[in-house]
Amino acid sequence: MSASGGGVAWSRRIAGMARSCRGIVRGGTVAWEPAPTCDPRACRRSLPTHGDCPELPLHCLAMRRLWFLFASLLTLAACEEPVNSPYPPGEAGRAVLFSAFSERPKHLDPARSYSETEAVFTQQIYEPPLQYHYLKRPYTLEPLTTVGMPVVTYRDASGNALPELAPAEDIVYTEYEIRLRPGIRYQPHPAFARDAAGQPRYVPLAEQDLAQVERLEDFRETGSRELVAADYVYQIKRLANPRLNSPIFGLMSEYIVGLEDLGKRLQEAVAGLPQSTYLDLDRFPLEGAEVIDTYRYLIRVRGKNLQFLYWLAMPFFAPVPAEAERFYSQPGMAERNLTLDWQPVGTGAFYLAINDPNRRMVLRRNPNYHPDFYPDAGEAGDAEAGLLADAGKPLPFLDEAIYMLERESVPYWTKFLQGYYDMSGISSDTFDQAVRIAPDGQPDLSDDMRARGIGLATAIDTSLWYVGFNMRDPVIGGDTERARLLRQAVSIALNYEQFVSIFLNGRGIPAQGPIPSGIFGYRDGEAGINPVVYRWQADGQGGGRAVRRSIDEAAALLAQAGYPNGRDATTGEPLTLYFDTMASGPDARSRLDWYRKQIEALGVQLIIRDTDYNRFQDKMRKGNAQIFEWGWNADYPDPENFLFLLYGPNQKVERNGENAANYVNAEFDQLVLRMKNMENGPERQEVIDRMVDLVRHDAPWVFAYSPKSFTLRHGWVTPGKPNLMARNLLKYRRLDPAARVAYQARWNRPVLWPLALGALVVFGALLPAVLAYRKRQCAAATPSGDSAC
């Protein structure tokens, strides 16, 4: 900060006043103890401007405080940076992204981490062999640390190679040969430090050697080394380590040959050993993951499994150097939070420089990061949108990313508007302030956001919400015509255009089938509508839109099902349906009331049966629920990840699978197995179209909606493209620090006139009292009664 010359002069003058006179109370009056050259009358008559008295009298002190306030106002007015900035001076002018997190990450170990809050950090640090292309849609895998895509070989029971088009039933194993790019190096880390003899500098360490160590930075020496194939194989073995309890061990044991057996052997090896004992996984061979040479390794999975490639873009399959695990396994490390779960080691564009989850997390550019470049191709419209302006430029663009802990949305939003956070989502509380709905129903920025130069990016999530019918229920389930027509009538009656508008502020699109937008197999436009629930309304110009069928059409279907006006045509009894849920609270209550009113429009009573989580899950496993609400987020961008939710052998009842509706259709089940191992193309699309037609007709689900994400960015942040599958997006972010500094100065100017006005009011109120007080004290301080003051 800097102050004007006048402000500095007044501050210095006031400081001088504090040294000029000294008043001491004696017997209820003020007596002077002047310095040998002090003239008390100089202090009495006016504010002193010379230094011949040691301290101020009391009335001078009051005046001093007023002048000090005035000088402070001048100083604030002359500040070069906003006085309310939460960051150190000069920080806003650097290539640093400012963001926030609301929940502290629990795990940063790639074998354990499996949440969105953790992926914000882990996927900037760790590098699996593959990644998702930043711009291409549908989502496409590409090499990250590899030379080309994995080479796939199919083998029979005797180990013989099979042709690419071999029948899936003949394929016993699928092998993925992965070749790494040479020259990729790890971030600097003390685990790689070596002494003059080439031995590990910090292994072994006794616990007393850690007496002066509290943070990783306390190890003064660091080192690095090249990434090799053995590091990837080592991490795959870590998935079976019983000490880590990897969340995907059970699933991967079904895929990777020998992984389940490795888990049993490791369980025996660690039995009775202290938790910190280093477990050398190199001593335990794994048939399903083998090193070929320095830069090549092999993964062997059971059967034909094309979807396994998507797992190779997740941190579970990122490399972990054995040196890091050995370094962290030493006694005393875990007590200091020096673990791989707290201090990751990777080859990514950034490394975790500060891990203080109760305050802030800081990612810094990895000085050893390998050559990486912004993509030079995308999809139609990307060039026009400016998304290829950085084509071919080296990554990353940022030097640092600072994430502050913000548990509440309101402080986060306030700081975003002040320019102290670069990007923000939109909560329901701030939606109306940020967005307005245009006449065509599309979201648009509010005038305030436009005035601030803020931009809006939207993307349809690769997820799906649905209302499921228990196909084992005697009323609404089964494959009878009566039950099917009833499900179709309910599908029409639940107006999700209205739901999205009321409960999501328009942030969603009604679903037309089991596959969300962005996943291969999804169809848009007239070809993609669900004809059971919608009809296509052409606009006369070659376009149109999907229009939900009317409630009268739903009532007609209900009558065909044998329930005219909501009553059983045979018994005359009113039809009652049951909605099972674990939702609770005021927000959930209004949503459940909406469901009830929608069904009542058919003349049918809907009874809400809410319960706790455990009871609800028990009802689902036993098949005692009738109608329920469910959702699914894509694990990977393949239609199999959604269509398997309706695969008969995956039923929730008896098998505890993900087919919560317990839907069974023999043709659909056969097509799932056929579609699963097909390459994306017209033939696979044709199979998917048939599967979607089947479930639309049978209506085991009401296809509800896919959420739509809204992201705000300040004008100094280069426009990006939402990518809902990739999480390593920080390296693509670019910003203009100078524009950020200018914005912060404009929108955070201190409002000083209330303070100035208050100071004048106080001055005016005190002045008469100060003058009267001065007269009394002057008289008391002058023995001769001199009235010079």
Side-chain angles (χ1 to χ4, degrees), residues 389-460:
D390 291 322
K393 293 181 179 179
L395 301 173
F397 296 118
L398 297 173
D399 294 329
E400 197 169 279
I402 298 176
Y403 300 84
M404 304 297 293
L405 178 63
E406 294 283 2
R407 298 189 184 278
E408 304 295 334
S409 61
V410 173
Y412 185 104
W413 177 251
T414 300
K415 292 175 184 176
F416 170 73
L417 293 181
Q418 292 171 330
Y420 298 132
Y421 290 136
D422 298 315
M423 305 176 72
S424 174
I426 308 176
S427 68
S428 57
D429 294 333
T430 58
F431 186 86
D432 291 338
Q433 183 181 354
V435 175
R436 61 182 180 85
I437 303 299
D440 61 357
Q442 295 301 310
D444 195 7
L445 285 168
S446 67
D447 292 339
D448 181 39
M449 297 298 104
R450 291 186 178 279
R452 294 172 178 269
I454 291 173
L456 172 66
T458 65
I460 300 170

Side-chain angles (χ1 to χ4, degrees), residues 704-724:
Y705 64 92
S706 289
K708 199 172 186 179
S709 62
F710 282 45
T711 303
L712 297 173
R713 61 167 181 82
H714 279 291
W716 59 80
V717 180
T718 300
K721 187 171 185 177
N723 189 316
L724 301 174

Side-chain angles (χ1 to χ4, degrees), residues 154-462:
Y154 301 124
R155 298 193 181 277
D156 61 18
S158 300
N160 300 312
L162 296 173
E164 184 178 352
L165 299 179
E169 56 269 21
D170 294 343
I171 299 174
V172 178
Y173 302 113
T174 299
E175 293 179 349
Y176 297 93
E177 182 181 319
I178 301 168
R179 180 188 294 270
L180 303 181
R181 279 193 286 157
I184 297 175
R185 299 186 66 83
Y186 284 98
Q187 68 184 71
H189 194 276
F192 301 120
R194 299 279 172 170
D195 60 20
Q199 297 302 309
R201 173 67 179 82
Y202 297 114
V203 177
L205 288 176
E207 189 163 358
Q208 56 268 27
D209 295 330
L210 299 175
Q212 304 301 319
V213 173
E214 295 182 359
R215 303 175 304 163
L216 195 64
E217 293 77 12
D218 293 331
F219 294 98
R220 297 184 178 181
E221 297 180 34
T222 63
S224 179
R225 72 160 171 82
E226 187 180 27
L227 172 69
V228 295
D231 299 334
Y232 282 97
V233 172
Y234 188 86
Q235 164 63 5
I236 295 173
K237 292 179 181 180
R238 294 181 77 246
L239 300 177
N241 189 336
R243 292 172 172 172
L244 300 178
N245 294 315
S246 175
I248 68 166
F249 171 65
L251 179 62
M252 288 299 114
S253 294
E254 299 176 10
Y255 295 162
I256 300 175
V257 177
L259 190 66
E260 182 178 13
D261 176 68
L262 176 62
K264 295 176 181 178
R265 286 184 284 136
L266 294 180
Q267 184 70 57
E268 295 174 357
V270 300
L273 295 179
Q275 181 70 20
S276 61
T277 303
Y278 173 60
L279 183 63
D280 184 3
L281 297 180
D282 289 335
R283 297 189 297 107
F284 298 86
L286 173 61
E287 183 181 356
E290 298 177 345
V291 175
I292 300 175
D293 56 33
T294 302
Y295 301 116
R296 291 188 300 157
Y297 68 103
L298 188 77
I299 300 178
R300 185 177 294 111
V301 300
R302 295 184 177 90
K304 184 177 183 179
N305 191 333
L306 297 179
Q307 287 73 34
F308 186 79
L309 278 176
Y310 293 110
W311 286 98
L312 298 182
M314 300 184 187
F316 292 113
F317 289 87
V320 168
E323 298 98 315
E325 190 151 64
R326 187 180 180 191
F327 172 80
Y328 285 131
S329 296
Q330 299 180 90
M333 288 286 195
E335 291 76 7
R336 292 167 173 80
N337 276 333
L338 296 177
T339 67
L340 203 60
D341 216 22
W342 193 266
Q343 297 287 348
V345 182
T347 62
F350 298 89
Y351 70 95
L352 186 61
I354 298 177
N355 184 0
D356 183 4
N358 292 320
R359 182 170 174 265
R360 67 173 182 158
M361 310 275 285
V362 177
L363 293 171
R364 290 200 183 117
R365 179 200 291 257
N366 178 4
N368 297 336
Y369 189 53
H370 56 83
D372 193 10
F373 303 95
Y374 191 93
D376 57 7
E379 61 177 344
D382 283 349
E384 293 77 4
L387 294 171
L388 292 176
D390 291 322
K393 293 181 179 179
L395 301 173
F397 296 118
L398 297 173
D399 294 329
E400 197 169 279
I402 298 176
Y403 300 84
M404 304 297 293
L405 178 63
E406 294 283 2
R407 298 189 184 278
E408 304 295 334
S409 61
V410 173
Y412 185 104
W413 177 251
T414 300
K415 292 175 184 176
F416 170 73
L417 293 181
Q418 292 171 330
Y420 298 132
Y421 290 136
D422 298 315
M423 305 176 72
S424 174
I426 308 176
S427 68
S428 57
D429 294 333
T430 58
F431 186 86
D432 291 338
Q433 183 181 354
V435 175
R436 61 182 180 85
I437 303 299
D440 61 357
Q442 295 301 310
D444 195 7
L445 285 168
S446 67
D447 292 339
D448 181 39
M449 297 298 104
R450 291 186 178 279
R452 294 172 178 269
I454 291 173
L456 172 66
T458 65
I460 300 170
D461 293 355
T462 51

